Amino acid sequence: MSRDVGRWASCVLLLLGAVAGCSPQPDGATSTSAKPGRAVFDPPAKFDAKAGVPMPKAATAGLLSAKGKDLGLLRNPVKLYKDMAYVATQENLLAIDTTKGAVTTIAPQAKPVSNPGNSVGFFTFTHPVVITEGASPLALASFVVKQPAAGTHAERVLVELTAVNAASAQVAWRLSLDVPEWAKDMPYPLTPRVAASSGRVALLTVGAFKPAGRMTYAIDLVDHRVLWTRDLLEATEIVKGTMVGITKDTIDSDYQAAAGYDLNTGERRWRGEDSEYPAVGTGGPRFVHVRGQNKAGVSFDRLVDPQTGVIQKELPHMDGDCEYDGISTLVCFRNWKGLSVSAFDTSNGELRWTLPNKATNRIAPTVTAVWHGRIYGRTESGPLTLDARTGEDLPTPPSIAPYAVNEYVGLALSGTNAMAYPAIG
């Protein structure tokens, strides 16, 4: 269940700290000024726990159980661009000014089709948002909508891709997409997901929880058109110009496989072995992390070349989450069934360190975020940060354990609410 929900859920929220001036930090962090009079810290070492700004309830989706219990999972339903935070529900896209908490609501043009409760089991989730790179970044969100009957045209269900100027929160363009034939009479609600973007191409998938089928659309972000589609394929990552995801032969197949496709043409480059419960995730700038259970019942974790599918490194089996720190380390951790954290070199897959470590009398923390060489988390002693490369405790107490972080802000739970705390060091 956690792997499936992990694909639906997405990352990060930010807030501008109103601090004048900037200088190198004692523990190695540096800061640069993005706007006159505002300091940013990359990565932040400390947050102002007394200056929190309340976030919408949607910013907690995937983090809490139906009864409000912190699940301790890395499930970030928000995505950031400078001082704007974006979170998408089934009904709309919310653009949040994180300095004031003001919210702009952007609704799809057609009526959204809602899943009552917006949940699977006890998880509540939102629809992932992707922020594109480049000179004029876009916030991309997707919605399942119902186009009403008109004249001789019958009512039909579509997927609407909404592209918003990430700086101004103004709609740039929209694109309607037909759903696959097998999805038109589904007993379960359809779920759209913007999976990734690179250059002028974005990837969007749509499918259902049961039967577990998905279709992937490659979208040209410049010409606003569909480049190609692939049925029974769930896109997950773009690495080295290759789209990597999970494919299956038929809608009712018991097995699936990781596979790689040319990003611009959709031509398949390779297909991995059939397995149960496969997952494809980040492996850094050179690899993708593929896990699953083969037909013999043996679980595996691997770093794979995204262009060829060749296995580069067999990793120890890890029942948890993995996050790339954005520099050189893949951090894998388990926040349940006994805490553990391991760090791998993204250039070769070699293990750098692991916790707990009885020899040094060190325990593993609950990991809440990984960003730019730093691991954020907590133990019974309170919030802490670790150096992602060495695993050593960093000297500055961060004041909070953010589940989302960037150079401006950390987003953390305060009870059952999300609060954004400005970075101050």
Side-chain angles (χ1 to χ4, degrees), residues 79-398:
K79 196 71 176 177
L80 303 177
Y81 177 73
K82 295 186 177 178
D83 58 351
M84 297 298 296
Y86 289 89
V87 55
T89 70
Q90 289 182 106
E91 292 78 24
N92 48 52
L93 174 64
L94 305 180
I96 308 158
D97 179 342
T98 59
T99 65
K100 301 175 182 178
V103 179
T104 300
T105 301
I106 303 160
Q109 285 185 316
K111 182 180 179 180
V113 178
S114 298
N115 170 15
N118 191 23
S119 63
V120 174
F122 55 82
F123 287 97
T124 301
F125 58 90
T126 54
H127 294 205
V129 178
V130 164
I131 306 293
T132 66
E133 72 272 21
S136 301
L138 299 170
L140 303 176
S142 55
F143 307 92
V144 174
V145 298
K146 185 173 289 185
Q147 188 177 75
T152 60
H153 297 280
E155 178 184 83
R156 61 175 181 155
V157 172
L158 302 168
V159 173
E160 182 179 308
L161 175 64
T162 300
V164 172
N165 182 297
S168 67
Q170 298 297 309
V171 175
W173 49 270
R174 304 176 194 262
L175 184 65
S176 294
L177 307 168
D178 290 324
V179 300
E181 286 297 324
W182 54 261
K184 291 182 178 179
D185 298 314
M186 296 287 289
Y188 287 81
L190 293 177
T191 302
R193 178 179 186 269
V194 182
S197 71
S198 180
R200 63 184 290 165
V201 181
L203 300 173
L204 181 149
T205 71
V206 64
F209 178 66
K210 187 178 180 180
R214 301 194 78 82
M215 171 178 263
T216 288
Y217 309 75
I219 310 299
D220 188 314
L221 298 173
V222 176
D223 295 336
H224 313 160
R225 63 184 180 91
V226 177
L227 287 174
W228 53 266
T229 63
R230 278 275 181 172
D231 204 1
L232 301 180
L233 170 66
E234 178 182 5
T236 57
E237 300 285 337
I238 299 174
V239 183
K240 295 170 66 175
T242 303
M243 186 234 81
V244 182
I246 299 169
T247 187
K248 62 195 310 185
D249 295 326
T250 62
I251 190 68
D252 56 355
S253 174
D254 292 331
Y255 295 97
Q256 303 177 78
Y261 298 78
D262 184 277
L263 181 61
N264 296 304
T265 67
E267 180 182 358
R268 193 167 78 188
R269 292 179 171 177
W270 58 271
R271 189 182 192 276
E273 66 177 305
D274 284 341
S275 60
E276 293 184 291
Y277 319 115
V280 175
T282 180
R286 297 181 58 191
F287 309 123
V288 289
H289 178 205
V290 177
R291 59 174 54 169
Q293 182 175 292
N294 64 24
K295 289 184 176 182
V298 178
S299 297
F300 57 84
D301 280 80
R302 298 164 175 162
L303 291 181
V304 173
D305 185 310
Q307 295 179 320
T308 65
V310 174
I311 299 170
Q312 302 296 305
K313 185 75 174 181
E314 292 280 2
L315 302 177
H317 177 56
M318 297 167 289
D319 184 16
D321 293 288
C322 292
E323 289 290 325
Y324 173 47
D325 76 338
I327 299 178
S328 66
T329 307
L330 180 67
V331 180
C332 296
F333 53 93
R334 185 175 63 233
N335 285 344
W336 60 91
K337 298 179 183 178
L339 302 177
S340 68
V341 187
S342 299
F344 300 88
D345 189 326
T346 55
S347 68
N348 54 25
E350 294 297 324
L351 177 67
R352 284 179 166 166
W353 55 269
T354 187
L355 291 175
N357 187 330
K358 291 184 179 179
T360 57
N361 196 32
R362 296 184 67 203
I363 62 173
T366 296
V367 174
T368 58
V370 177
W371 195 70
H372 285 198
R374 191 156 300 188
I375 299 170
Y376 299 85
R378 61 177 181 268
T379 66
E380 291 183 356
S381 303
L384 54 74
T385 55
L386 304 178
D387 185 303
R389 184 177 179 85
T390 66
E392 293 300 318
D393 291 45
L394 293 172
T396 304

Side-chain angles (χ1 to χ4, degrees), residues 20-38:
C22 51
S23 59
Q25 303 307 302
D27 60 358
T30 59
S31 64
T32 58
S33 180
K35 292 183 179 181
R38 295 192 183 275

